[in-house]
Amino acid sequence: MSATAETSRVPAGSALGSLTRPARTAARWAVRHGLPAVYLSRSARRGDPVGRLMRDRALREQPYGVYEEVRARGPLSASSLGWVTTSHAVAQEVLRSDRFGVGWDRSSAPKVIRWALEFGDDPASAGVAEPPSMLVVDPPDHTRFRRLVSRAFTPRATTAFEPAIRRTADSLLDALERRTGSVDLIEAYAAQLPVLVIAELLGVPTQRREDFLRWGAAAAATLDPGLPLRRYLAAERALRAMHGFLDEHFAQLRRDPGEDLVSSLVTLPPEEALTDRELHAVVLLLLGAGFETTVNLLGNAVVLLDRHRDQWAGLRADPAGWDGAVEEVLRLDSPVQLTGRTARSDIGIGGRTVRAGSRVTVLLGAANRDPEVFPDPARFDVTRANAREHLAFSGGIHYCVGAGLARLEGVVGLRALSERFPDLRVAGPPERRDLQTLRGFERLPVALR
Ligand code: HEM
C-alpha cells in the first residue's frame, strides 16, 4: 500500500476538523519532526554521520567532510536513517531501479504512528513531500501526474521560453544598475529570476512573487526531518496561505482559462480530471520546485566563480563555456543534496542486501563527488569534460521535470549577469540557508562594480 491510500477520518475542513486543528498540528509535527529530531539527535551523539548531518548546524555550512567519512565505510553503509550511499554507481542504480519506490508502507509502522499520521492529515497545509505530491508517489499515480505536466517542459517548450528568461534577466539587471553600494544578490536577482520565470510559465500572477518567495522560504524547511515546532508552525502557515492562493487562482482559471499549464490542469475532461487534492499537490510542487532550487544554483555559482576569478574571466572571454560551468556548479555544490527511496523487495546492491521496506538515503551531493567518476572531485573546473554526469537532478522516473528549464535559467541568468557586471565581486561573508536538503545562500552581499 502506498501512503496515498490513507486519508483522515475527520475531514480537516469540517466543524470537528476546525476544533481539532491544534491537536492535529501537534500530531503532525510530532510524527514528522518531533520524534525524528529525538532519534537523530541521539544518533548524532553516538557519532552516526547521518544523524550529525541532520542535527549539526555547522555541517550545513560544510557537509563534504562528513560525506567522505561515509564514503570510507563503503558504497552502501548502515546509518541511523537506514542505508546510505555516496557512490555514484549505487545512487544511479537505486534511483533508476523499479525495485525501489518513493512510497512508504505505513502498514508496517507502529500503531500510534499510523494513528498520528491519519489524525494529523490536513490537505490545507500539505507540503511538497507529502502524498499525493508527485515527488513521493509511485506509479501508476506518478505516471498519471507526470504525463499531465511534462508536455509543458519538453525541450522545444523550454527553448521557446528562452527569450522570456532573457527579458526577465535584463529587466532585473536594469533595476540593479540603479543600485549603489553593496547589494544582496540573492534578494535582488538570484531569487527573483526563477520565481518570475515559473510564475509566467504556470500563468500565476507575477505580482504575487514576493508572497511566493516568503511562503516558499518558510515551506522549504519541511523537506528536512526534525524541524523545531516554531519553524514547523511558520512553514504550515506559509503552506496554508499558498493553498488558499491556489484555491482562488483555480476558481478564477475555471471561469476564464488561459493557454497556460495550470489552466489546462483545471479544465481536464472528466476521465482525466485530478481531484482537488491532487491538483493542489501538482501545482504547489511545480511552483515551489520552480524557484526554491534554481535560486541556489545561481547563488552557488556566483560564490564559486568569485573564488575562481580566472574561470569567471575565461567565461567572459568565451561565453560558450557557460553550459559546462552550470553543470560543474550543479555537480560540485548541488542545490538538492539528498533524496531517498524504499526497497519494494529484498535487493542485493552495493555488496549488501537491502531488505524490503528499508530506506536508502541517496546523498546526491556526495555521489557528485565520487572519485570513481570525477577525477579530483573537490576541484572546481568549468571545463570538466564529464561534469554533466552528475546526479543533481536525480535519475529514473523522478528525474527533475524542470532540469532543462533550470539549466537554461542558469546559463542565461549567469551570462547576462557577467556581461552587465564583469567586475562583480562578493563583498562580505555569504550566509548559507538553514536547510539540509536544499543547499544555497540566504544572503550574498556583492559589489556590482
Ligand atoms: C537547479 C535547479 C533544480 C534542481 C537542482 C532540481 C532538482 C530536482 C531533484 C533532485 C528532483 C528529484 C528528487 C528525487 O528523485 O527524489 C527533482 C524533481 C522535480 N523537479 Fe526539480 N530541480 C531544479 C529545478 C526545477 C524547476 C525549475 C522545476 C520547474 C517546474 C522543477 C520541477 C521538479 C518537479 C515537478 C519534480 C518532481 C518530478 C517527479 O517526481 O517525477 N525543478 N528536482
Side-chain angles (χ1 to χ4, degrees):
M1 183 184 68
S2 96
T4 335
E6 294 210 8
T7 50
S8 170
R9 282 182 205 125
V10 183
S14 68
L16 184 55
S18 312
L19 279 176
T20 55
R21 190 198 274 180
R24 287 161 168 271
T25 301
R28 206 162 39 245
W29 170 77
V31 76
R32 290 184 186 276
H33 296 282
L35 287 174
V38 172
Y39 180 69
L40 288 166
S41 295
R42 209 171 46 199
S43 318
R45 280 196 299 276
R46 290 191 189 135
D48 181 278
V50 176
R52 282 162 58 212
L53 278 171
M54 296 296 171
R55 299 309 291 164
D56 184 348
R57 265 213 71 178
L59 293 179
R60 296 185 174 194
E61 198 63 45
Q62 201 43 269
Y64 297 117
V66 178
Y67 291 173
E68 293 317 310
E69 283 177 37
V70 181
R71 197 187 310 282
R73 297 176 176 203
L76 187 66
S77 56
S79 83
S80 59
L81 282 190
W83 296 99
V84 58
T85 184
T86 55
S87 149
H88 189 279
V90 173
Q92 204 163 27
E93 192 176 339
V94 169
L95 296 170
R96 289 185 180 170
S97 166
D98 61 7
R99 293 185 301 161
F100 285 94
V102 289
W104 177 69
D105 182 2
R106 288 184 184 185
S107 62
S108 60
K111 208 169 166 191
V112 62
I113 302 279
R114 290 204 315 266
W115 173 84
L117 284 167
E118 200 173 321
F119 174 70
D121 182 59
D122 179 5
S125 66
V128 296
E130 284 175 60
S133 163
M134 208 186 328
L135 268 181
V136 287
V137 296
D138 293 318
D141 284 337
H142 176 264
T143 321
R144 186 162 57 90
F145 302 149
R146 181 105 187 183
R147 203 175 36 233
L148 290 173
V149 304
S150 45
R151 60 197 140 110
F153 296 94
T154 59
R156 184 195 290 227
T158 304
T159 311
F161 224 66
E162 182 165 352
I165 300 175
R166 180 81 214 196
R167 212 172 37 244
T168 306
D170 283 342
S171 78
L172 291 169
L173 293 169
D174 290 345
L176 272 179
E177 290 269 13
R178 297 189 283 276
R179 304 272 296 262
T180 52
S182 169
V183 169
D184 176 6
L185 196 71
I186 299 295
E187 181 261 320
Y189 189 69
Q192 299 289 332
L193 180 63
V195 76
L196 286 165
V197 168
I198 194 69
E200 192 167 338
L201 193 144
L202 293 180
V204 298
T206 50
Q207 315 86 275
R208 298 293 299 267
R209 69 178 184 276
E210 293 305 331
D211 287 332
F212 300 149
L213 286 171
R214 209 179 49 253
W215 296 334
T222 57
L223 292 173
D224 295 339
L227 278 190
L229 182 60
R230 188 195 294 255
R231 258 185 107 190
Y232 179 73
L233 292 176
E236 270 217 7
R237 274 195 300 278
L239 285 163
R240 278 182 197 285
M242 277 176 118
H243 285 296
F245 159 77
L246 290 179
D247 271 331
E248 286 168 26
H249 188 58
F250 296 154
Q252 200 252 314
L253 292 183
R254 283 190 183 106
R255 286 191 300 271
D256 183 17
E259 295 295 305
D260 56 87
L261 175 62
V262 182
S263 292
S264 79
L265 293 176
V266 299
T267 54
L268 286 167
E271 63 280 10
E272 275 188 285
L274 296 171
T275 65
D276 197 46
R277 189 166 188 169
E278 289 170 346
L279 183 62
H280 273 260
V282 167
V283 179
L284 185 81
L285 175 64
L286 287 172
L287 186 59
F291 66 85
E292 273 300 323
T293 45
T294 315
V295 53
N296 305 328
L297 164 62
L298 296 172
N300 295 353
V302 169
V303 170
L304 281 168
L305 288 164
D306 182 68
R307 290 179 187 154
H308 300 85
R309 297 296 304 182
D310 52 330
Q311 301 194 42
W312 170 264
L315 290 163
R316 291 269 306 119
D318 177 17
W322 277 110
D323 289 318
V326 164
E327 300 306 327
E328 179 66 347
V329 173
L330 287 164
R331 181 193 74 80
L332 190 72
D333 211 16
S334 311
V336 179
Q337 286 283 308
L338 55 102
T339 184
R341 295 292 186 267
T342 307
R344 294 168 185 274
S345 55
D346 292 357
I347 301 164
I349 186 167
R352 315 292 288 258
T353 302
V354 176
R355 297 274 171 223
S358 307
R359 195 78 184 147
V360 179
T361 297
V362 179
L363 293 174
L364 300 170
N368 290 340
R369 290 171 172 236
D370 184 340
E372 303 259 331
V373 179
F374 304 107
D376 197 1
R379 192 164 62 88
F380 179 63
D381 176 4
V382 296
T383 64
R384 185 182 288 274
N386 70 342
R388 206 181 155 100
E389 286 176 38
H390 65 70
L391 300 174
F393 292 120
S394 188
I397 61 169
H398 293 274
Y399 181 81
C400 176
V401 169
L405 181 67
R407 287 184 156 118
L408 194 60
E409 286 182 53
V411 170
V412 172
L414 291 167
R415 181 176 171 179
L417 180 70
S418 74
E419 284 171 357
R420 192 74 73 95
F421 299 111
D423 297 323
L424 179 138
R425 278 179 184 275
V426 175
E431 223 176 278
R432 282 275 175 203
R433 302 176 74 180
D434 185 15
L435 298 172
Q436 187 58 53
T437 304
L438 300 182
R439 180 166 172 82
F441 291 100
E442 182 81 43
R443 254 174 290 280
L444 175 51
V446 298
L448 295 168
R449 306 173 185 85

